[in-house]
Amino acid sequence: MKTKNKHAGKKLYKYRFLYLLALPGFVYLIINNYMPMVGLVLAFKNYSFAKGMLHSPWCGIHNFTYLFNSKWAKIMFRNTIGYNLLFLVLGNIFAIFVAILLGEIRSERAKKTYQTLILIPHLVSTVLIGYLVFAFLSYKNGFINMSLLEPLGKEPVNWYTEPKYWPFILTLVQMWRSFGFQSIVYFATIIGFDKSYYEAAVVDGATTWQQISRITLPLLRPTVIILVIMALGRMFASDFGLFYQVPMNTGTLYSATTTIDTFVYRAMMQDHDVGRSLAAGFLQSILGFVVVTIANSVVRKIEPESALY
Amino acid sequence: MKKRWIALFLAAMTVSLAACGNSGGSAAKSGAPAASGTVDSSAAEGGSSGAVQASADPSDWPVIRAEVSAFTDTLEQKDAVQDALNQYLVSINAGVQCEMVPLAFGDRSTQLTLMLTDADNPIDLFGWRFYSSVSDLVKNGQIISLEKYRDVYPDLWKLYPETVYKTCQINGEQYSMPGADSFGNYQVYALRKDLAKEIGVDNLAGTKITREQYEDILAKAEAAHPEMAWEGETMVWPYMNVDNLGDTNALGVLPDMGVDQDKIINYYSSDEFKDYVEMCKGWADKGYIIDDPLNTQRIGTTLVTNNQIGGYMFEAYNIEYAESLMQAQIPDYEMDIFQLTDPHCTNSCVYTGWNISSICKNPDAAMKLLSLMMTDENVSRFFTLGVKGLTYVVDDKGIARYPEGKDANTDGWNLGAPWFYPNQCLSIPFNTDYTGYYTDMKACWTDPNMKYSKAMGFIFDTTPVYDQYTACTAIVAEYRDALMLGQVDVDEYLAKFNDELNKAGIDQVIAEMQKQYDAFLQENGK
Amino acid sequence: MAGKGRGFQVFSNVILTILCFCTVMPFVLLVSSSLTSDATIAVYGYSFFPRQIDTTAYRYLFLSGSKILKAYGMTFLVTGIGTTLNICCTMAMGYLLSKKDLPGRAFLSFFIFFTMLFNGGMIPSYIVWSQLIKVSDTIAGLIFPNLMLSAFNVILMRTYFTTNIPNELCEAAEMDSDTQVGILFHISIPLSKPMLATLTLFSALAYWNDWINGLYYLVRKKDLYTIQNVLNSMQNNIQFLRDFSSASSLGGFAGSIPTLSVRMAIAVISIVPILAIYPFFQQYFVRGIVIGGVKG
């Protein structure tokens, strides 16, 4: 025991400068991530601006009971989980598909061009995506109404008043902006595979399809698992910009666009209701944590190599 | 091994939490006592008079932060205006200095909310228009009572009709000072003069017309110009004729503008509302309402200038005022004005009020500045117009104009929002030929014909039914606009709307409202 | 990989070409509308090819819009400083954790990983940064909150170091009496270019596209706004006008909102630098992500 401690002490000394170098990063995490967690107590308080965070009166779980009594609880959980599952499934299937296609392209120049172009949507802000979507969907001037539906003799559609279109629109926008990046992640994995598998397969006379289904897909499994676990951790989070700025915070669309994040923001900024806003945020964090822990332990049982921690 | 590092981790977290708790505590403490001290001060500290004693050295004077309206993210002349204001404050030995904080309307709700949590860096004075309401501000603990200043600045309580002050009181205590306005308006319709002439209704201009005459005008106009719409801002609730009790959600309303009304009703389930939205639907179907109104800026002035609409409805306190407003806002066209309804004053005719934030460290000084904004012509004009010669000039008729070569985009100050501030009547008319703009506005305060709602000063305290109330407002936000703009099928959508409201507990909200209203009437001996 | 089928080649190329077209198309629409006058858009709607090229919007931006240019400069400055800080911290932490025999390694890893799962929310975070650290109304408000370190990037970095830097190399260096810090600079960093390039791009994008920090922390110093803040603020003002258009007194403001083509032009200039720089990083991108993405 004593020698072990001594050993550790020696290691500590050996890495002393590395600890020092990394110290600012840890201090930053404490300030930026850990200290605000104290604020989660506000979820159990009736926040008063006059009294501040610490002196506001407690209100037990009232903030939570309200949340579940309102119709928004159902809607925001349904939307958050629903969209995330949709994005997860569609996104990964599509990304793997594109990655495999990319891997098959023989011309290096074409390959590079495709990679460059499909990543572009990943580079721009959600504010800007909101501008782009509006250019397409604006009732009066939008590209779809003016240049697609009108020449076809169809009635223009009031996109920003019909919630029923928005699950498709949001999914489409999300796919558009994220498929490139996800594809590159998979593609990067694919080109790292041992070439000898494929060479052997070719010798055995395997078709392209057989190579994909027998070699590429099984080899991708660990990557898929990691990406899915990470996505599960964010199952209760949503991209605020996608659900707030892209639909331009329009009241009629709330039933299709309210996620936990937009609810939290609106409860805060429109109703000035810090307690309830935080109750929703608190639930979001807790649930995300639980889900990822469960997913990880399941994976650890089935396939220990792929577990995240 | 694993358990050990989890324990270690928890320990580290506790330490970091404790550290934060301490520092957070000191931050909150430094602000909270000041605020709570003033809340109770009227009772506790009999010694403090609430007046400001100006020390000899102006650099010792407290600096009060007051918000300034803006429609762009920066106001280039902010520093110049602020310096000029502070020099003036020194010259009158005010004992207080001011820091102006411009907030763009679009960002304001977020930024004001955040600033109101920041006890170390407080915003002291702000107005509630487009942000919140007096009752919500009080409920959230965002503002303090001004009651103790009644003795220090008695004149502030004599500017407007007494009933107006009641709209900014909670349980008889003044929390906010109403912003000057006409406190009473009627609906007018503005139609392009050339079009009015074309369809032969120019003879009615300047008079009061009936609803039939009005619909006739719309029909004729549409027939002559089917490519145009005739309504920019139907959300002004024309012909609704109800007192919404100061809450635009209008969950419970008094019929007939609240004049001598004792019974609160659910407007959305009433036949009048159904008629109203059916009328709107009819207008939308006939093409009176612009396309995609829910997502278009329905600013009448812009739409008229762009030839998208020929006329629109708004509120005014007299025909001349309406004409002057049109001249200023639509220089390209001359407009004819038609009066649609009679003048009335309800809670919602008090558009704004100014208040002191609960985190303000020196409420006495803040109140001093507020009183100057309400009574001192010069102080008021620094806010509404900026600095003479720099951000505005005055022509020989006494009207403020943009300086040579400047416009709304380049002026560096927001001249278009005098109504945002506590007393616009101290200002001079801007960009208009109507020299009586403010004198006529003030004349409304003593107009014997003005009808006041019985509910003036009644503010619904939503606390007992808060959950139901919030649920209902969310539903209103989702459904009402589409209905009132005639964008959806009335029968189906209205039924769904009412169904949702019932589920959310609108009946309980109205019952509670009635209970409080009865108590209010009794208290006021009405 | 090397399927013989010519048909598959054609198929892949066609699909990818279509996808690339889809990704680029909206940007063409954006550029086109920035070059179209408002009157034309009002009549013909947005279209891919301007009917008549109208550069008023750009002239307005570069001649009279010193504010826009300043915001542009701020974006560059903040992205530069922020990304540098971010990369330094990420590298130091990733390197530390890549040492397999490091005392407390498991704890420190979890300490970082945990921040990906839990957060205190908007108001507490605002209170910490504005009242405890006092970053409000300074350029620090744009740099520090939320963006300076991402746990995800640290994990990517750590994984890259553990999988791509041969242990023997480090041990040999240790023999040559190189210090641990020396090894970082002489061996690990030069060998990690792809990962560093990738993380630089991630971080730079996060800074370049951020509008939250400006909105929250620059309330009294809006002349420090970045280009995204300007874009966001304009959009908010427009939504405000839409929601409160009932107030007739607001009509006078319509003139203060920049025209549609100006807004589109600002949007265009906000993405040009990214598109210009990004291809240089792109060559490292695939190699950077590859190994980082997979757990080592």
Side-chain angles (χ1 to χ4, degrees):
Chain A
M1 194 65 199
K2 210 170 179 185
T3 46
K4 201 178 164 194
N5 275 345
K6 209 171 162 189
H7 198 63
K10 218 166 146 189
K11 287 266 172 55
L12 272 174
Y13 182 75
K14 174 180 165 194
Y15 292 127
R16 65 194 184 282
F17 288 118
L18 291 189
Y19 283 113
L20 206 63
L21 270 184
L23 187 67
F26 285 102
V27 172
Y28 180 83
L29 285 183
I30 290 174
I31 295 173
N32 187 65
N33 300 74
Y34 283 93
M35 282 181 18
M37 286 181 201
V38 181
L40 289 174
V41 300
L42 287 180
F44 303 96
K45 284 187 166 198
N46 190 1
Y47 186 83
S48 155
F49 284 80
K51 295 185 179 123
M53 205 159 106
L54 292 185
H55 303 280
S56 292
W58 295 95
C59 68
I61 58 162
H62 178 250
N63 289 330
F64 293 91
T65 51
Y66 164 72
L67 205 61
F68 284 103
N69 285 335
S70 80
K71 68 169 207 163
W72 292 108
K74 209 178 95 201
I75 290 176
M76 75 192 189
F77 277 100
R78 179 198 71 195
N79 285 352
T80 312
I81 297 170
Y83 281 119
N84 274 326
L85 283 177
L86 200 65
F87 295 167
L88 177 67
V89 174
L90 286 182
N92 279 297
I93 293 177
F94 192 58
I96 293 172
F97 171 69
V98 175
I100 290 173
L101 292 188
L102 262 181
E104 295 295 329
I105 301 290
R106 281 198 215 121
S107 151
E108 280 302 317
R109 248 177 83 188
K111 202 185 259 187
K112 192 133 260 166
T113 314
Y114 294 142
Q115 281 175 37
T116 310
L117 291 180
I118 58 173
L119 256 179
I120 288 179
H122 184 72
L123 307 176
V124 300
S125 70
T126 45
V127 179
L128 207 122
I129 292 178
Y131 278 61
L132 290 178
V133 172
F134 187 73
F136 277 88
L137 298 184
S138 158
Y139 180 76
K140 186 114 195 170
N141 315 315
F143 178 76
I144 294 190
N145 280 350
M146 285 289 279
S147 306
L148 289 182
L149 294 179
E150 206 181 273
L152 290 174
K154 294 231 172 79
E155 280 288 301
V157 176
N158 223 335
W159 299 102
Y160 285 91
T161 55
E162 300 276 2
K164 65 180 178 206
Y165 296 121
W166 281 83
F168 300 101
I169 296 171
L170 290 172
T171 309
L172 205 65
V173 172
Q174 171 67 15
M175 287 299 117
W176 176 78
R177 65 187 286 227
S178 68
F179 88 93
F181 181 74
Q182 284 184 310
S183 305
I184 300 287
V185 173
Y186 283 117
F187 169 69
T189 317
I190 289 174
I191 56 170
F193 293 158
D194 194 338
K195 302 273 184 303
S196 58
Y197 292 130
Y198 294 94
E199 282 154 15
V202 172
V203 171
D204 290 347
T207 61
T208 309
W209 171 242
Q210 281 169 331
Q211 288 177 37
I212 291 170
S213 60
R214 303 274 169 79
I215 305 174
T216 312
L217 289 179
L219 283 177
L220 272 179
R221 213 167 100 127
T223 313
V224 175
I225 290 175
I226 287 177
L227 290 179
V228 168
I229 298 180
M230 296 210 297
L232 285 176
R234 292 191 300 267
M235 189 45 74
F236 296 93
S238 60
D239 186 332
F240 178 74
L242 179 68
F243 293 96
Y244 188 86
Q245 282 168 323
V246 173
M248 293 173 69
N249 190 23
T250 308
T252 31
L253 303 179
Y254 283 168
S255 65
T257 60
T258 299
T259 62
I260 302 178
D261 293 274
T262 62
F263 176 87
V264 166
Y265 190 81
R266 274 202 297 267
M268 184 64 228
M269 297 309 176
Q270 286 173 14
D271 305 337
H272 316 297
D273 198 337
V274 184
R276 280 162 210 203
S277 167
L278 272 162
F282 185 76
L283 275 181
Q284 186 181 36
S285 279
I286 295 279
L287 291 172
F289 183 64
V290 169
V291 168
V292 87
T293 311
I294 293 172
N296 194 56
S297 54
V298 168
V299 171
R300 204 162 43 206
K301 282 230 170 66
I302 308 169
E303 205 170 282
E305 278 301 294
S306 304
L308 207 56
Y309 56 89
Chain B
M1 180 65 200
K2 196 154 177 201
K3 274 197 187 121
R4 220 174 64 200
W5 66 253
I6 290 180
L8 208 72
F9 172 74
L10 287 176
M13 212 178 130
T14 323
V15 170
S16 81
L17 296 194
C20 173
N22 286 337
S23 32
S26 65
K29 261 178 220 141
S30 60
S36 60
T38 45
V39 172
D40 309 331
S41 59
S42 48
E45 331 164 5
S48 155
S49 68
V52 172
Q53 302 298 326
S55 66
D57 182 4
S59 58
D60 294 340
W61 293 358
V63 178
I64 294 302
R65 289 207 185 99
E67 86 164 309
V68 165
S69 78
F71 228 106
T72 44
D73 45 59
T74 42
L75 288 177
E76 284 79 6
Q77 299 297 350
K78 188 215 110 180
D79 289 338
V81 176
Q82 185 179 303
D83 290 348
L85 167 64
N86 283 329
Q87 271 174 26
Y88 176 76
L89 289 174
V90 170
S91 76
I92 60 168
N93 199 29
V96 57
Q97 295 276 282
C98 176
E99 180 190 329
M100 294 172 145
V101 183
L103 297 177
F105 279 107
D107 296 338
R108 178 166 170 254
S109 149
T110 303
Q111 295 188 332
L112 207 47
T113 304
L114 292 174
M115 287 179 92
L116 286 169
T117 67
D118 192 346
D120 283 354
N121 244 332
I123 175 102
D124 300 308
L125 280 177
F126 64 100
W128 47 257
R129 189 176 193 188
F130 298 128
Y131 177 67
S132 187
S133 64
V134 180
S135 54
D136 278 352
L137 288 171
V138 171
K139 193 174 69 231
N140 291 330
Q142 286 166 305
I143 59 175
I144 60 167
S145 166
L146 307 178
E147 204 51 41
K148 70 177 277 202
Y149 299 107
R150 206 185 265 270
D151 301 332
V152 187
Y153 307 102
D155 291 347
L156 297 187
W157 272 264
K158 290 179 191 141
L159 292 172
Y160 319 127
E162 200 197 332
T163 176
V164 167
Y165 288 96
K166 290 195 176 149
T167 60
C168 291
Q169 293 173 355
I170 302 281
N171 299 328
E173 273 195 67
Q174 197 79 43
Y175 275 89
S176 179
M177 299 309 285
D181 216 299
S182 61
F183 306 124
N185 285 317
Y186 49 75
Q187 302 291 341
V188 298
Y189 187 72
L191 180 65
R192 259 167 57 186
K193 215 179 196 87
D194 55 326
L195 299 176
K197 198 158 201 151
E198 185 186 332
I199 59 172
V201 295
D202 50 334
N203 57 324
L204 294 173
T207 64
K208 179 162 183 275
I209 57 173
T210 63
R211 180 161 160 181
E212 288 70 35
Q213 283 174 309
Y214 176 49
E215 297 216 33
D216 183 50
I217 291 179
L218 293 178
K220 280 181 181 157
E222 178 71 16
H225 289 277
E227 77 285 3
M228 279 194 192
W230 306 97
E231 205 35 83
E233 304 166 88
T234 44
M235 291 300 289
V236 287
W237 300 56
Y239 292 125
M240 275 207 175
N241 207 32
V242 292
D243 178 0
N244 65 19
L245 302 172
D247 179 356
T248 52
N249 290 301
L251 295 177
V253 301
L254 289 173
D256 193 22
M257 284 296 180
V259 181
D260 294 327
Q261 295 293 325
D262 295 334
K263 176 107 176 70
I264 292 172
I265 60 162
N266 177 351
Y267 187 55
Y268 297 124
S269 69
S270 71
D271 290 342
E272 288 102 287
F273 185 68
K274 188 154 190 243
D275 287 348
Y276 179 78
V277 292
E278 268 168 359
M279 176 184 87
C280 294
K281 176 76 180 151
W283 288 5
D285 291 346
K286 285 176 196 153
Y288 300 171
I289 294 176
I290 61 161
D291 297 329
D292 196 16
L294 290 165
N295 287 288
T296 313
Q297 289 170 245
R298 292 194 314 282
I299 309 303
T301 52
T302 321
L303 294 173
V304 172
T305 310
N306 289 349
N307 280 322
Q308 283 168 281
I309 61 171
Y312 69 101
M313 220 185 274
F314 60 94
E315 285 181 331
Y317 59 84
N318 68 20
I319 300 281
E320 256 186 306
Y321 163 76
E323 279 171 354
S324 74
L325 204 65
M326 290 296 95
Q327 272 171 21
Q329 297 182 346
I330 312 180
D332 299 0
Y333 292 107
E334 276 190 82
M335 306 294 281
D336 272 343
I337 306 292
F338 305 88
Q339 180 182 350
L340 300 177
T341 59
D342 291 321
H344 282 282
C345 180
T346 64
N347 273 353
S348 34
C349 293
V350 179
Y351 292 124
T352 188
W354 274 62
N355 18 258
I356 299 177
S357 73
S358 54
I359 51 171
C360 171
K361 289 188 180 127
N362 197 332
D364 292 351
M367 191 63 201
K368 172 79 185 179
L369 183 63
L370 179 55
S371 81
L372 289 172
M373 289 169 82
M374 290 178 73
T375 54
D376 187 302
E377 196 175 274
N378 295 301
V379 173
S380 166
R381 284 181 198 175
F382 284 117
F383 284 90
T384 53
L385 296 168
V387 176
K388 195 169 170 179
L390 182 70
T391 60
Y392 74 102
V393 290
V394 181
D395 70 9
D396 44 12
K397 280 191 218 137
I399 306 289
R401 307 273 178 191
Y402 286 118
E404 191 69 33
K406 300 277 177 129
D407 62 25
N409 258 319
T410 54
D411 189 67
W413 196 251
N414 184 7
L415 304 187
W419 43 262
F420 184 79
Y421 297 101
N423 193 351
Q424 56 173 332
C425 291
L426 294 173
S427 189
I428 48 175
F430 169 65
N431 249 9
T432 174
D433 290 333
Y434 179 25
T435 47
Y437 192 97
Y438 288 123
T439 44
D440 286 357
M441 184 182 276
K442 279 201 270 195
C444 293
W445 302 348
T446 48
D447 182 356
N449 293 324
M450 184 69 76
K451 292 233 168 62
Y452 291 95
S453 165
K454 200 170 184 178
M456 286 292 281
F458 170 65
I459 295 176
F460 178 43
D461 173 16
T462 55
T463 319
V465 285
Y466 190 67
D467 293 355
Q468 292 91 330
Y469 176 82
T470 320
C472 286
T473 55
I475 291 160
V476 169
E478 192 187 344
Y479 285 87
R480 193 180 62 190
D481 285 10
L483 270 170
M484 290 187 39
L485 290 164
Q487 297 301 298
V488 286
D489 180 67
V490 172
D491 288 331
E492 184 195 336
Y493 211 72
L494 184 60
K496 214 159 108 194
F497 180 34
N498 275 310
D499 198 39
E500 293 270 5
L501 283 175
N502 287 332
K503 270 192 222 149
I506 192 169
D507 291 340
Q508 285 145 281
V509 175
I510 291 176
E512 176 64 32
M513 219 182 240
Q514 185 71 53
K515 197 174 110 196
Q516 291 183 22
Y517 185 49
D518 290 342
F520 167 82
L521 291 179
Q522 201 158 22
E523 214 173 273
N524 284 274
K526 284 182 183 170
Chain C
M1 286 294 272
K4 280 235 162 67
R6 203 181 154 73
F8 201 78
Q9 277 294 307
V10 176
F11 173 74
S12 307
N13 276 301
V14 168
I15 297 279
L16 286 169
T17 309
I18 293 173
L19 287 176
C20 290
F21 180 72
C22 290
T23 55
V24 176
M25 200 176 61
F27 295 100
V28 176
L29 194 66
L30 184 75
V31 174
S32 160
S33 46
S34 74
L35 289 170
T36 312
S37 71
D38 275 26
T40 315
I41 291 184
V43 179
Y44 300 104
Y46 296 83
S47 62
F48 283 102
F49 304 101
R51 275 159 205 272
Q52 215 174 11
I53 299 231
D54 179 298
T55 54
T56 323
Y58 289 93
R59 267 181 288 152
Y60 168 81
L61 287 192
F62 287 102
L63 291 181
S64 64
S66 64
K67 197 172 84 187
I68 302 293
L69 290 184
K70 193 173 175 202
Y72 211 35
M74 274 314 287
T75 307
F76 275 105
L77 185 67
V78 167
T79 306
I81 300 176
T83 307
T84 311
L85 289 174
N86 183 311
I87 291 302
C88 290
C89 285
T90 308
M91 216 157 51
M93 292 174 91
Y95 185 64
L96 179 76
L97 293 176
S98 72
K99 297 289 166 192
K100 289 196 172 111
D101 56 348
L102 187 83
R105 183 175 186 245
F107 165 71
L108 293 177
S109 299
F110 191 74
F111 187 86
I112 292 170
F113 183 66
F114 190 72
T115 63
M116 285 170 69
L117 298 173
F118 248 80
N119 69 75
M122 184 166 43
I123 290 286
S125 172
Y126 173 80
I127 289 175
V128 166
W129 280 113
S130 69
Q131 294 182 30
L132 295 177
I133 317 292
K134 301 198 188 305
V135 296
S136 297
D137 305 318
T138 62
I139 187 173
L142 290 172
I143 293 173
F144 291 124
N146 294 325
L147 300 174
M148 215 189 80
L149 191 65
S150 137
F152 183 69
N153 289 0
V154 174
I155 292 172
L156 287 184
M157 193 78 236
R158 178 200 69 180
T159 314
Y160 195 91
F161 279 139
T162 43
T163 50
N164 282 46
I165 314 291
N167 229 358
E168 303 76 51
L169 221 56
C170 297
E171 276 161 19
E174 269 174 48
M175 290 299 175
D176 289 349
S177 73
D178 203 346
T179 62
Q180 291 296 327
V181 179
I183 296 172
L184 171 66
F185 284 100
H186 298 142
I187 299 171
S188 299
I189 291 180
L191 283 176
S192 313
K193 268 191 204 142
M195 194 70 235
L196 285 176
T198 306
L199 294 184
T200 305
L201 185 66
F202 281 178
S203 169
L205 279 178
Y207 275 106
W208 187 274
N209 287 332
D210 179 68
W211 49 272
I212 300 241
N213 281 353
L215 180 66
Y216 288 7
Y217 299 103
L218 295 183
V219 176
R220 294 188 293 127
K221 263 281 192 232
K222 300 203 178 75
D223 45 340
L224 297 181
Y225 263 13
T226 63
I227 200 97
Q228 297 291 342
N229 289 129
V230 172
L231 279 171
N232 182 56
S233 182
M234 285 189 312
Q235 195 72 351
N236 286 343
N237 284 334
I238 289 165
Q239 281 172 26
F240 173 83
L241 279 179
R242 182 196 67 193
D243 293 344
F244 290 98
S245 60
S246 56
S248 57
S249 35
L250 284 182
F253 280 123
S256 312
I257 301 270
T259 63
L260 192 103
S261 46
V262 168
R263 299 201 307 268
M264 291 298 178
I266 299 176
V268 169
I269 64 166
S270 82
I271 47 173
V272 166
I274 298 189
L275 294 184
I277 294 172
Y278 148 75
F280 296 102
F281 286 88
Q282 211 264 334
Q283 54 172 321
Y284 295 106
F285 209 56
V286 175
R287 274 190 293 156
I289 286 181
V290 69
I291 314 139
V294 185
K295 188 183 152 214

